Amino acid sequence: ILNKSREYLVNENNKNEKFIICYVGRLSEEKQVDILIRTTISLYKKYPNIMLNIIGSGYQEKYLKELVYKNGAEQYIRFLGYKENPYPYIKNSSVLVCASKAESFCMVIGEAISLGIPVVSTKCGGPEEILDYGKYGIIVKNNINDLYKGIESILVDKEKYNKYKNIDKSYFKRFEKSKIIE
């Protein structure tokens, strides 16, 4: 993951100029990307320095693109499609968001943490355990208002942002084979 994250990205905005929200996954109903899009549109009204990168594909792609277009949000919400290597995009983001209805392990959350990227996730099963119920990332109720507040809190509170950005690497020891078998 670390090696693959070093791949050079062409034409990317300077991370220091934009607060980049990243989503990686299928574009399907249970992932609730539409809620993330609506949340980003609301946040943009107050924080015009944000951007949402959506990485993935799926049967809701056309619907989601229409939602962005109807709200005039094409300048700050981008569909990047499926990426064989999403790690440079995650690494060059400010936060990774999971807005799902239900998840099991949610691998992308662990990948983001390994790259030093803070995570905001809805309560949807697996992420609560991965994030140790808020110790390693922000967990919010599964609705637009709470997702807004979760993303906003990491956007405006630099101390909170740095807390979740600089997670002790011992975090990963709990996912070693010996611990899982135990």
Side-chain angles (χ1 to χ4, degrees):
I1 293 171
L2 296 175
N3 286 337
K4 287 184 172 187
S5 74
R6 293 182 183 105
E7 184 178 287
Y8 180 71
L9 294 176
V10 179
N11 296 328
E12 283 303 300
N13 289 323
N14 186 336
K15 186 176 173 183
N16 295 326
E17 294 173 17
K18 293 277 186 186
F19 184 87
I20 302 172
I21 301 165
C22 184
Y23 167 81
V24 179
R26 284 188 323 279
L27 304 182
S28 56
E29 184 180 353
E30 70 277 5
K31 300 295 186 175
Q32 300 190 128
V33 180
D34 58 333
I35 288 176
L36 178 55
I37 288 170
R38 292 177 202 283
T39 301
T40 302
I41 290 167
S42 293
L43 281 163
Y44 185 80
K45 293 173 185 170
K46 188 173 179 181
Y47 305 101
N49 66 319
I50 67 165
M51 168 177 265
L52 170 60
N53 284 336
I54 299 171
I55 299 169
S57 60
Y59 70 87
Q60 278 202 324
E61 187 168 347
K62 182 179 178 186
Y63 159 71
L64 296 170
K65 285 181 175 179
E66 287 174 4
L67 178 62
V68 169
Y69 177 75
K70 286 178 184 175
N71 284 280
E74 310 93 329
Q75 69 191 40
Y76 60 93
I77 299 178
R78 301 186 314 164
F79 290 85
L80 303 178
Y82 171 80
K83 298 293 180 191
E84 186 72 32
N85 178 10
Y87 305 123
Y89 297 92
I90 297 170
K91 185 178 179 179
N92 287 291
S93 297
S94 306
V95 64
L96 179 111
V97 176
C98 169
S100 295
K101 285 182 190 176
E103 285 288 347
S104 56
F105 188 76
C106 197
M107 185 75 80
V108 74
I109 288 176
E111 293 166 343
I113 292 170
S114 73
L115 294 171
I117 302 304
V119 174
V120 174
S121 178
T122 55
K123 289 182 181 181
C124 58
E128 291 98 294
E129 185 176 351
I130 296 167
L131 298 173
D132 199 7
Y133 303 92
K135 184 175 180 181
Y136 300 111
I138 296 173
I139 300 170
V140 299
K141 290 180 184 171
N142 205 326
N143 63 63
I144 291 175
N145 290 335
D146 286 331
L147 188 58
Y148 180 104
K149 290 175 188 173
I151 296 170
E152 181 181 44
S153 73
I154 211 156
L155 173 72
V156 300
D157 186 339
K158 294 299 177 200
E159 189 173 311
K160 183 182 281 190
Y161 180 84
N162 287 328
K163 170 188 172 186
Y164 291 122
K165 184 168 182 54
N166 300 310
I167 291 179
D168 184 349
K169 298 305 175 199
S170 66
Y171 160 84
F172 295 101
K173 291 184 181 196
R174 46 192 238 145
F175 299 110
E176 291 176 351
K177 284 182 192 176
S178 61
K179 291 286 184 185
I180 301 297
I181 291 169
E182 188 180 299

